[in-house]
Amino acid sequence: QLQASGGGLVQAGGSLRLSCVASGRTVTTHTIGWFRQSPGKEREFVAAFRNGDTYYSDPVKGRFTVSREIAKSAVHLQMNSLKPEDTAVYYCATRRTVWGASHTPASYTSWGQGTLVTVSS
């Protein structure tokens, strides 16, 4: 079970931190991916944390940072220098670590409910 939180309204250039809390030892046994979807667009990969390695899509590289906090069973997405085009519903999802890294939403097996990020210009 995944619970995403931390979304909200922020001005362009601002920051937000999203959190994905997972049950049990999920954050140590699974890759945690962050995806986003805006109206009329397909769900797209944002970032992932897998066994100490991090992955980012080109649009967010250098602005977003994904990290893991094992004690809280959480993976965070720190988003800095936000742009209006970052506006979307953000989702976290999991896939087994042993399956390797993936940017494809269909390869993730469990999804959180989504949290809305709105960046105003």
Side-chain angles (χ1 to χ4, degrees):
Q1 196 169 10
L2 300 173
Q3 184 77 26
S5 63
L9 173 64
V10 64
Q11 287 188 331
S15 299
L16 281 175
R17 188 176 87 151
L18 306 184
S19 296
C20 178
V21 177
S23 58
R25 299 176 61 241
T26 301
V27 298
T28 59
T29 58
H30 288 65
T31 296
I32 307 296
W34 284 97
F35 295 81
R36 65 187 182 187
Q37 188 168 21
S38 50
K41 293 187 177 181
E42 293 188 352
R43 193 166 296 188
E44 64 172 353
F45 173 79
V46 175
F49 189 100
R50 176 183 179 267
N51 213 24
D53 294 324
T54 57
Y55 305 85
Y56 300 96
S57 65
D58 287 342
V60 308
K61 201 170 294 183
R63 300 188 296 123
F64 290 12
T65 303
V66 63
S67 62
R68 181 177 63 183
E69 190 173 2
I70 295 176
K72 294 188 176 181
S73 297
V75 170
H76 306 293
L77 183 68
Q78 178 67 43
M79 307 186 296
N80 298 329
S81 302
L82 282 162
K83 304 175 181 180
E85 51 263 44
D86 294 319
T87 295
V89 177
Y90 284 70
Y91 301 88
C92 59
T94 65
R95 61 184 261 121
R96 292 284 304 276
T97 297
V98 295
W99 294 346
S102 174
H103 294 190
T104 305
S107 69
Y108 285 73
T109 54
S110 296
W111 290 81
Q113 84 287 4
T115 185
L116 176 62
V117 172
T118 304
V119 184
S120 63
S121 57

